[in-house]
Amino acid sequence: MADVLSVYDEDCRERQANKDKFDERMVRLVRWWGGKTLSSVNGANCRAYAKHRGNNGGSRRDLEDLRAAINHHSKEGFHRGVVRVVLPEKGLPRERWLDRSEAARLLWTCWRYRETQTVHIGKLKGQKIVTDKRPLRHVARFILIGLYTGTRAGAIATASPYRAEGKSFVDLETGIFNRLAIGKRASTKRQTPVPLPKRLLAHLRRWSRLGIAKSHFVEWGGKPIASVKTGFGSAVRIAGLDVTVGNVTPHTLRHTAATWLMQRAAPMWEAAGFLGMSEKTLRDTYGHHHPDHLRGAADAIGSRPSPKKKVALVVSLVDEKPRG
């Protein structure tokens, strides 16, 4: 299995969107599976790995890589026969989304929050003072882009007003957000170009004009962010959203955008294209938020039949031959 994973790593690593995460998964897989043979890949050992990993979602993702490595090894002609990887069940879908008041509270928290520091010398030693530093304003910009476009966190982090390798280009002239980073391969996570809402486009142009966005629209200390999880988590905690039902994560912004589109009765195929997901996924996951969802059936079953329909119904019942 170490050989199988080595071949996959050598041939396919460059295609990975997040090479660091891929490397971490390869290390975990080699440590547990490396000394085993292909014939030992069975349901019992897959379940043992999931138990060893201790995380259902994480073990499923690792085993998906194991399956891909075995399939690649087979396609290259290095082994014959079918080897099946048994995956843990998928976790329940996260349906947490923000209503308008929650989104506003989160945004205002990020914009207004000022850093508190403890004095270590002098007469005020030990006291906490509020500084003029605004450590969460970059998170506010991230949230605005996420709410207005439903874009995944990675594409927001690389969003830039300039064309460059590895950046998601925002054309401030045409108002088009090219979410797939330049030089990156398209994946199953659809990152289609999308027109920007006018309000968001006005914000982006202003950030660029004022020098707030030097190379990227979401920057911390003048540099693009690698991840917004820490700052976003702090904002959620300070805003008091951590005590509500369901975890609020950066991906919640995508759920929120999809939900708001449905609540505003956006055409299903347009909303799916805007979010970069299939129409089936949008309908199955968020369709119940649409005001017209099953409305025809609900209105039909709750309405009274017309007099003509009543007569027809009575006649049909009278004329019906008794059974048995």
Side-chain angles (χ1 to χ4, degrees), residues 114-120 126-131 133:
R114 296 195 295 176
E115 187 177 284
T116 300
Q117 296 181 349
T118 302
V119 179
H120 296 289
Q127 293 186 21
K128 293 184 177 181
I129 59 172
V130 178
T131 69
K133 294 183 178 180

Side-chain angles (χ1 to χ4, degrees), residues 138 141-142 153-162 164-168 212-228:
H138 70 292
R141 293 192 286 275
F142 177 91
I156 298 176
T158 61
S160 169
Y162 308 107
E165 191 81 11
K167 294 181 180 179
S168 304
I212 296 173
K214 295 181 176 65
S215 64
H216 294 75
F217 288 106
V218 182
E219 297 177 342
W220 169 247
K223 297 181 180 180
I225 59 169
S227 172
V228 77

Side-chain angles (χ1 to χ4, degrees), residues 59-84:
S59 62
R60 182 183 175 88
R61 184 65 187 88
D62 289 356
L63 290 172
E64 286 174 345
D65 272 346
L66 182 70
R67 180 177 61 184
I70 293 171
N71 291 341
H72 177 73
H73 195 262
S74 175
K75 289 177 182 177
E76 291 294 308
F78 294 134
H79 78 264
R80 302 288 186 270
V82 178
V83 180
R84 299 195 183 279

Side-chain angles (χ1 to χ4, degrees), residues 290-304:
H290 199 286
D292 295 334
H293 177 67
L294 303 181
R295 178 54 52 196
D299 291 344
I301 200 169
S303 62
R304 294 183 178 182

Side-chain angles (χ1 to χ4, degrees), residues 187-225:
S187 67
T188 54
K189 304 292 186 183
R190 302 181 185 182
Q191 294 178 314
T192 53
V194 61
L196 292 168
K198 292 181 180 179
R199 288 184 178 181
L200 176 61
L201 182 57
H203 283 301
L204 298 181
R205 286 171 174 168
R206 180 170 54 84
W207 298 342
S208 181
R209 186 177 69 252
L210 297 178
I212 296 173
K214 295 181 176 65
S215 64
H216 294 75
F217 288 106
V218 182
E219 297 177 342
W220 169 247
K223 297 181 180 180
I225 59 169

Side-chain angles (χ1 to χ4, degrees), residues 15-294:
R15 302 184 210 160
Q16 305 301 316
N18 190 328
K19 294 180 177 59
D20 291 337
K21 292 292 184 182
F22 176 77
D23 292 341
E24 291 174 7
R25 294 195 297 271
M26 287 296 104
V27 169
R28 284 194 297 267
L29 289 170
V30 169
R31 283 177 179 170
W32 204 89
W33 292 96
K36 295 179 173 59
T37 61
L38 273 168
S39 61
S40 66
V41 179
N42 52 40
N45 278 331
C46 289
R47 286 187 288 272
Y49 177 78
K51 184 177 181 180
H52 163 78
R53 179 83 161 79
N55 182 304
N56 200 56
S59 62
R60 182 183 175 88
R61 184 65 187 88
D62 289 356
L63 290 172
E64 286 174 345
D65 272 346
L66 182 70
R67 180 177 61 184
I70 293 171
N71 291 341
H72 177 73
H73 195 262
S74 175
K75 289 177 182 177
E76 291 294 308
F78 294 134
H79 78 264
R80 302 288 186 270
V82 178
V83 180
R84 299 195 183 279
V85 176
V86 179
L87 302 178
E89 290 186 7
K90 282 187 176 181
L92 295 174
R94 296 179 181 178
E95 296 184 355
R96 178 68 164 98
W97 55 278
L98 303 177
D99 60 31
R100 299 278 171 172
S101 62
E102 288 177 324
R105 183 166 30 144
L106 189 58
L107 273 170
W108 276 115
T109 295
C110 293
W111 194 252
R112 293 175 173 175
Y113 179 75
R114 296 195 295 176
E115 187 177 284
T116 300
Q117 296 181 349
T118 302
V119 179
H120 296 289
I121 58 174
K123 295 181 180 180
L124 300 178
K125 184 177 180 179
Q127 293 186 21
K128 293 184 177 181
I129 59 172
V130 178
T131 69
D132 291 330
K133 294 183 178 180
R134 308 279 184 169
L136 295 179
R137 285 199 169 176
H138 70 292
V139 181
R141 293 192 286 275
F142 177 91
I143 292 170
L144 273 176
I145 298 173
L147 288 175
Y148 273 112
T149 67
T151 302
R152 292 181 174 86
I156 298 176
T158 61
S160 169
Y162 308 107
R163 292 181 185 271
E165 191 81 11
K167 294 181 180 179
S168 304
F169 174 57
V170 178
D171 190 334
L172 295 178
E173 293 296 325
T174 62
I176 300 297
F177 183 7
N178 299 281
R179 293 185 285 200
L180 182 63
I182 298 174
K184 295 284 186 179
R185 290 175 177 269
S187 67
T188 54
K189 304 292 186 183
R190 302 181 185 182
Q191 294 178 314
T192 53
V194 61
L196 292 168
K198 292 181 180 179
R199 288 184 178 181
L200 176 61
L201 182 57
H203 283 301
L204 298 181
R205 286 171 174 168
R206 180 170 54 84
W207 298 342
S208 181
R209 186 177 69 252
L210 297 178
I212 296 173
K214 295 181 176 65
S215 64
H216 294 75
F217 288 106
V218 182
E219 297 177 342
W220 169 247
K223 297 181 180 180
I225 59 169
S227 172
V228 77
K229 287 184 179 179
T230 301
F232 192 90
S234 298
V236 168
R237 175 178 50 80
I238 296 168
L241 296 180
D242 58 335
V243 297
T244 57
V245 177
N247 292 333
V248 178
T249 67
H251 200 67
T252 302
L253 303 178
R254 181 168 169 80
H255 292 306
T256 301
T259 301
W260 287 1
L261 282 171
M262 291 296 93
Q263 290 176 339
R264 294 295 182 91
M268 196 72 68
W269 69 273
E270 279 192 12
F274 184 83
L275 294 166
M277 66 175 65
S278 69
E279 191 173 339
K280 180 181 184 304
T281 298
L282 181 66
R283 184 184 296 106
D284 292 349
T285 308
Y286 307 100
H288 60 282
H289 292 291
H290 199 286
D292 295 334
H293 177 67
L294 303 181

